[in-house]
Amino acid sequence: MSEQQKPVSDLHYQKASDKFGYTYVKQQQFDQSSNQLLFQGILDLQSLACGMDLCASELFSVRDSKHEGLLERSFTIAINLNNEPTNTKISNSQSLCLNAFGGAIVANADTLNMSNEIKAGLQTKCLLVQICPERFMDDDIAQEIDKRLTQTNITNFLLSPEVHHLASRITHSPKVGGISQLFSESAALELLAHTMINHFNSVKTNSTKLNDSDLSNLYRVRDFILANPSMDFTLPMLAKEAGMSISSLKEKFPKVFHLTVFRYISDVRLQYSKLLICEKGWPISKVAYHCGYAHQASFTAAFKRRFGLRPSDLNMKY
C-alpha cells in the first residue's frame, strides 16, 4: 500500500467506497460541486487476483462529516490498528464496534445500511479485507464463506500478534507494481485462513433456542469483556450487563461462544497477553498481574497450556 500522505475529498472518499461495494444513499452534508476536503492521509484500495478486495486507510479528519450508505452481501474482516475505538451503526439496530487494536468479522447476508459520524480531529487507521463468494477464485473456500452468509452476524475479536503482523504486512507492502500485490495477497490469504480456523465457529448460525433479545444481550457482554480484558469480572456484574439472571447467563453464554463465561474471559486475557508482550514489550511479570494472575508461574502454566509455548518464547517466535 502507498505511504504517501494526500488530501482526501468527499468525492474521492465516495469513489473509493464505491469500489469497495459501499454505495452512498444520502449525502446531505456534502456539496459535490465544491468537492470538500474531508481527510488528510492515506486511502488505498487493491483488488487482488484471488478475488479479495483490500482497503487500507490512515486518515486524519479535518472536518465533521456524516456518512450513510449500503454495503453489499459480503464477508468482511475489519481491523482497527489505532488506539481509539470506532463505531458504525448498521440497519438491524446493531453496531459495528471496533475496539482499540481490535477486529470484527462482518458476515452480512443481505445489503446492509451503515452510517457513522466522524468528528474533526479524529485519527483512524483501519484495514478492511472483503470477500464476495461469487468472485472468489477457490470454489471450495467460496462455498465455506457462502454458508456463513445465510444470516447477518458481527463477531468481534481481540487482535492477536499474528493478526496484527499480517495486517501490518498488508498496510506496509512495498509499492513496486505487481510484486506489491503478491505481498498483499499472500498476507490477505493467510489472514483469511487464520479467521476461518479461529473464528468461523462463532460466525455460524446460533442455536434456535435463543431469541434475538438473548443474542443481543450476550453479544453486549462479549463486547464488554473484549473491551476490558484486564477487568476483575464477576458473574453478577456480567449478568447485570446482559440484563438477565446469573443462571441464564451461565446457561446461554456457552451456546453462542462455545465456552463458559470464565473460560472465555481466560482465553481473551491470554490472547491479550500475547499482544502486550509482542507489541507493547511489557515484562512478563507485569503482563501476568495485568491479566489477573496473582503469580507469574500460574500465568506461565496457563499460557503454555493454551498456546504450547512459554511467554518467554514469544520474542523468539514473533
Short mmCIF file of all heavy atoms in Angstrom, two decimals, residues 83-118:
data_model
loop_
_atom_site.label_atom_id
_atom_site.label_comp_id
_atom_site.label_asym_id
_atom_site.label_seq_id
_atom_site.Cartn_x
_atom_site.Cartn_y
_atom_site.Cartn_z
N ASN A 83 -5.31 3.20 18.51
CA ASN A 83 -5.60 3.04 19.93
C ASN A 83 -6.89 3.73 20.35
O ASN A 83 -7.12 3.97 21.54
CB ASN A 83 -4.43 3.55 20.78
CG ASN A 83 -4.10 5.02 20.52
OD1 ASN A 83 -4.79 5.68 19.73
ND2 ASN A 83 -3.07 5.53 21.16
N GLU A 84 -7.74 4.08 19.37
CA GLU A 84 -9.05 4.65 19.65
C GLU A 84 -10.12 3.76 19.02
O GLU A 84 -9.97 3.30 17.89
CB GLU A 84 -9.17 6.07 19.09
CG GLU A 84 -8.27 7.10 19.76
CD GLU A 84 -8.69 7.39 21.19
OE1 GLU A 84 -9.89 7.21 21.50
OE2 GLU A 84 -7.83 7.78 22.00
N PRO A 85 -11.24 3.51 19.72
CA PRO A 85 -12.31 2.67 19.14
C PRO A 85 -13.06 3.40 18.04
O PRO A 85 -13.05 4.64 17.97
CB PRO A 85 -13.21 2.40 20.34
CG PRO A 85 -12.99 3.57 21.25
CD PRO A 85 -11.56 3.97 21.08
N THR A 86 -13.70 2.65 17.16
CA THR A 86 -14.57 3.22 16.13
C THR A 86 -15.95 2.58 16.25
O THR A 86 -16.08 1.46 16.75
CB THR A 86 -14.02 2.98 14.72
OG1 THR A 86 -14.07 1.56 14.43
CG2 THR A 86 -12.58 3.44 14.60
N ASN A 87 -16.96 3.28 15.76
CA ASN A 87 -18.32 2.77 15.89
C ASN A 87 -19.12 3.12 14.64
O ASN A 87 -19.13 4.27 14.21
CB ASN A 87 -19.01 3.35 17.13
CG ASN A 87 -20.37 2.75 17.38
OD1 ASN A 87 -20.51 1.54 17.52
ND2 ASN A 87 -21.38 3.59 17.42
N THR A 88 -19.80 2.11 14.07
CA THR A 88 -20.65 2.32 12.90
C THR A 88 -22.00 1.66 13.16
O THR A 88 -22.06 0.50 13.56
CB THR A 88 -20.01 1.70 11.64
OG1 THR A 88 -18.74 2.30 11.41
CG2 THR A 88 -20.89 1.91 10.42
N LYS A 89 -23.08 2.38 12.93
CA LYS A 89 -24.43 1.83 13.09
C LYS A 89 -24.81 1.07 11.82
O LYS A 89 -24.46 1.48 10.72
CB LYS A 89 -25.44 2.95 13.35
CG LYS A 89 -25.21 3.69 14.66
CD LYS A 89 -26.25 4.79 14.84
CE LYS A 89 -26.01 5.54 16.15
NZ LYS A 89 -26.99 6.64 16.33
N ILE A 90 -25.53 -0.05 12.00
CA ILE A 90 -25.99 -0.80 10.85
C ILE A 90 -27.50 -0.99 10.92
O ILE A 90 -28.12 -0.73 11.94
CB ILE A 90 -25.26 -2.16 10.72
CG1 ILE A 90 -25.57 -3.07 11.90
CG2 ILE A 90 -23.77 -1.97 10.58
CD1 ILE A 90 -24.99 -4.45 11.75
N SER A 91 -28.07 -1.48 9.82
CA SER A 91 -29.51 -1.39 9.61
C SER A 91 -30.37 -2.18 10.58
O SER A 91 -31.51 -1.83 10.80
CB SER A 91 -29.84 -1.82 8.18
OG SER A 91 -29.25 -3.07 7.88
N ASN A 92 -29.87 -3.24 11.17
CA ASN A 92 -30.70 -4.04 12.06
C ASN A 92 -30.50 -3.65 13.53
O ASN A 92 -30.58 -4.48 14.42
CB ASN A 92 -30.43 -5.53 11.87
CG ASN A 92 -28.96 -5.87 12.07
OD1 ASN A 92 -28.13 -4.99 12.27
ND2 ASN A 92 -28.64 -7.14 12.02
N SER A 93 -30.23 -2.37 13.75
CA SER A 93 -30.10 -1.79 15.09
C SER A 93 -28.87 -2.29 15.84
O SER A 93 -28.75 -2.08 17.04
CB SER A 93 -31.36 -2.07 15.94
OG SER A 93 -32.49 -1.54 15.30
N GLN A 94 -27.95 -2.96 15.15
CA GLN A 94 -26.69 -3.35 15.76
C GLN A 94 -25.65 -2.26 15.49
O GLN A 94 -25.87 -1.32 14.73
CB GLN A 94 -26.19 -4.68 15.18
CG GLN A 94 -26.92 -5.90 15.67
CD GLN A 94 -26.28 -7.17 15.14
OE1 GLN A 94 -26.41 -7.51 13.97
NE2 GLN A 94 -25.59 -7.87 16.01
N SER A 95 -24.51 -2.43 16.11
CA SER A 95 -23.39 -1.53 15.86
C SER A 95 -22.15 -2.36 15.56
O SER A 95 -21.95 -3.42 16.15
CB SER A 95 -23.11 -0.63 17.08
OG SER A 95 -24.15 0.29 17.27
N LEU A 96 -21.37 -1.87 14.63
CA LEU A 96 -20.06 -2.45 14.38
C LEU A 96 -19.07 -1.65 15.20
O LEU A 96 -18.72 -0.52 14.84
CB LEU A 96 -19.72 -2.39 12.89
CG LEU A 96 -18.28 -2.74 12.50
CD1 LEU A 96 -17.90 -4.14 12.97
CD2 LEU A 96 -18.09 -2.62 11.00
N CYS A 97 -18.67 -2.20 16.33
CA CYS A 97 -17.75 -1.52 17.24
C CYS A 97 -16.37 -2.18 17.13
O CYS A 97 -16.24 -3.36 17.45
CB CYS A 97 -18.24 -1.60 18.69
SG CYS A 97 -19.86 -0.88 18.95
N LEU A 98 -15.40 -1.41 16.68
CA LEU A 98 -14.03 -1.91 16.62
C LEU A 98 -13.27 -1.33 17.80
O LEU A 98 -13.02 -0.12 17.85
CB LEU A 98 -13.36 -1.50 15.31
CG LEU A 98 -13.90 -2.14 14.03
CD1 LEU A 98 -13.13 -1.62 12.81
CD2 LEU A 98 -13.81 -3.66 14.09
N ASN A 99 -12.93 -2.17 18.75
CA ASN A 99 -12.17 -1.72 19.89
C ASN A 99 -10.75 -1.35 19.47
O ASN A 99 -10.29 -1.72 18.40
CB ASN A 99 -12.12 -2.80 20.97
CG ASN A 99 -13.50 -3.11 21.52
OD1 ASN A 99 -14.25 -2.20 21.86
ND2 ASN A 99 -13.85 -4.38 21.60
N ALA A 100 -10.07 -0.58 20.32
CA ALA A 100 -8.68 -0.24 20.04
C ALA A 100 -7.87 -1.52 19.84
O ALA A 100 -7.93 -2.43 20.66
CB ALA A 100 -8.11 0.57 21.20
N PHE A 101 -7.15 -1.59 18.72
CA PHE A 101 -6.38 -2.78 18.35
C PHE A 101 -7.27 -4.02 18.41
O PHE A 101 -6.88 -5.06 18.93
CB PHE A 101 -5.15 -2.93 19.24
CG PHE A 101 -4.17 -1.80 19.11
CD1 PHE A 101 -4.04 -0.85 20.12
CD2 PHE A 101 -3.42 -1.65 17.97
CE1 PHE A 101 -3.17 0.20 20.01
CE2 PHE A 101 -2.53 -0.59 17.84
CZ PHE A 101 -2.40 0.35 18.86
N GLY A 102 -8.47 -3.89 17.87
CA GLY A 102 -9.42 -5.00 17.82
C GLY A 102 -9.91 -5.21 16.40
O GLY A 102 -9.60 -4.44 15.49
N GLY A 103 -10.66 -6.28 16.23
CA GLY A 103 -11.18 -6.59 14.91
C GLY A 103 -12.59 -7.11 14.98
O GLY A 103 -13.13 -7.37 16.07
N ALA A 104 -13.20 -7.27 13.81
CA ALA A 104 -14.55 -7.83 13.73
C ALA A 104 -14.72 -8.52 12.40
O ALA A 104 -14.10 -8.15 11.40
CB ALA A 104 -15.60 -6.74 13.91
N ILE A 105 -15.55 -9.56 12.41
CA ILE A 105 -15.96 -10.24 11.19
C ILE A 105 -17.40 -9.84 10.91
O ILE A 105 -18.26 -10.01 11.77
CB ILE A 105 -15.85 -11.77 11.34
CG1 ILE A 105 -14.42 -12.17 11.68
CG2 ILE A 105 -16.34 -12.47 10.08
CD1 ILE A 105 -14.31 -13.57 12.24
N VAL A 106 -17.64 -9.28 9.75
CA VAL A 106 -18.99 -8.88 9.36
C VAL A 106 -19.45 -9.82 8.25
O VAL A 106 -18.94 -9.78 7.13
CB VAL A 106 -19.03 -7.43 8.86
CG1 VAL A 106 -20.46 -7.02 8.52
CG2 VAL A 106 -18.44 -6.49 9.91
N ALA A 107 -20.37 -10.70 8.59
CA ALA A 107 -20.96 -11.62 7.62
C ALA A 107 -22.37 -11.12 7.34
O ALA A 107 -23.28 -11.39 8.12
CB ALA A 107 -20.98 -13.05 8.16
N ASN A 108 -22.53 -10.34 6.27
CA ASN A 108 -23.85 -9.78 6.00
C ASN A 108 -24.56 -10.56 4.90
O ASN A 108 -24.08 -10.68 3.79
CB ASN A 108 -23.80 -8.28 5.69
CG ASN A 108 -22.89 -7.90 4.56
OD1 ASN A 108 -21.72 -8.21 4.60
ND2 ASN A 108 -23.43 -7.22 3.57
N ALA A 109 -25.71 -11.12 5.28
CA ALA A 109 -26.48 -11.98 4.39
C ALA A 109 -27.20 -11.21 3.31
O ALA A 109 -27.57 -11.76 2.27
CB ALA A 109 -27.49 -12.79 5.20
N ASP A 110 -27.41 -9.93 3.54
CA ASP A 110 -28.10 -9.08 2.57
C ASP A 110 -27.47 -7.69 2.64
O ASP A 110 -26.61 -7.43 3.47
CB ASP A 110 -29.60 -9.03 2.89
CG ASP A 110 -30.44 -8.67 1.68
OD1 ASP A 110 -29.86 -8.29 0.66
OD2 ASP A 110 -31.68 -8.77 1.77
N THR A 111 -27.93 -6.81 1.77
CA THR A 111 -27.40 -5.46 1.77
C THR A 111 -27.66 -4.79 3.12
O THR A 111 -28.77 -4.83 3.64
CB THR A 111 -28.04 -4.62 0.65
OG1 THR A 111 -27.78 -5.27 -0.60
CG2 THR A 111 -27.46 -3.23 0.61
N LEU A 112 -26.62 -4.19 3.70
CA LEU A 112 -26.73 -3.52 4.99
C LEU A 112 -26.69 -2.02 4.82
O LEU A 112 -25.90 -1.49 4.04
CB LEU A 112 -25.57 -3.93 5.90
CG LEU A 112 -25.56 -5.32 6.52
CD1 LEU A 112 -24.32 -5.48 7.39
CD2 LEU A 112 -26.81 -5.56 7.34
N ASN A 113 -27.54 -1.33 5.57
CA ASN A 113 -27.45 0.12 5.66
C ASN A 113 -26.49 0.45 6.79
O ASN A 113 -26.65 -0.03 7.91
CB ASN A 113 -28.83 0.72 5.93
CG ASN A 113 -28.78 2.24 5.99
OD1 ASN A 113 -28.39 2.79 7.02
ND2 ASN A 113 -29.18 2.90 4.94
N MET A 114 -25.49 1.27 6.52
CA MET A 114 -24.48 1.61 7.52
C MET A 114 -24.35 3.12 7.61
O MET A 114 -24.43 3.82 6.59
CB MET A 114 -23.13 0.97 7.18
CG MET A 114 -23.21 -0.52 6.91
SD MET A 114 -21.62 -1.29 6.55
CE MET A 114 -20.87 -1.31 8.18
N SER A 115 -24.14 3.63 8.82
CA SER A 115 -23.98 5.07 8.98
C SER A 115 -23.04 5.36 10.14
O SER A 115 -22.96 4.60 11.10
CB SER A 115 -25.34 5.74 9.25
OG SER A 115 -25.92 5.25 10.44
N ASN A 116 -22.31 6.46 10.01
CA ASN A 116 -21.45 6.89 11.11
C ASN A 116 -21.20 8.39 11.02
O ASN A 116 -21.43 9.03 10.00
CB ASN A 116 -20.12 6.12 11.14
CG ASN A 116 -19.29 6.34 9.89
OD1 ASN A 116 -19.73 6.94 8.92
ND2 ASN A 116 -18.07 5.85 9.91
N GLU A 117 -20.77 8.93 12.15
CA GLU A 117 -20.43 10.34 12.25
C GLU A 117 -18.95 10.44 12.63
O GLU A 117 -18.50 9.78 13.56
CB GLU A 117 -21.30 11.04 13.29
CG GLU A 117 -22.78 11.03 12.96
CD GLU A 117 -23.60 11.83 13.97
OE1 GLU A 117 -22.98 12.54 14.79
OE2 GLU A 117 -24.83 11.75 13.91
N ILE A 118 -18.23 11.27 11.90
CA ILE A 118 -16.79 11.42 12.14
C ILE A 118 -16.53 12.86 12.55
O ILE A 118 -16.88 13.79 11.82
CB ILE A 118 -15.98 11.05 10.89
CG1 ILE A 118 -16.26 9.59 10.50
CG2 ILE A 118 -14.49 11.26 11.13
CD1 ILE A 118 -15.58 9.15 9.23
#
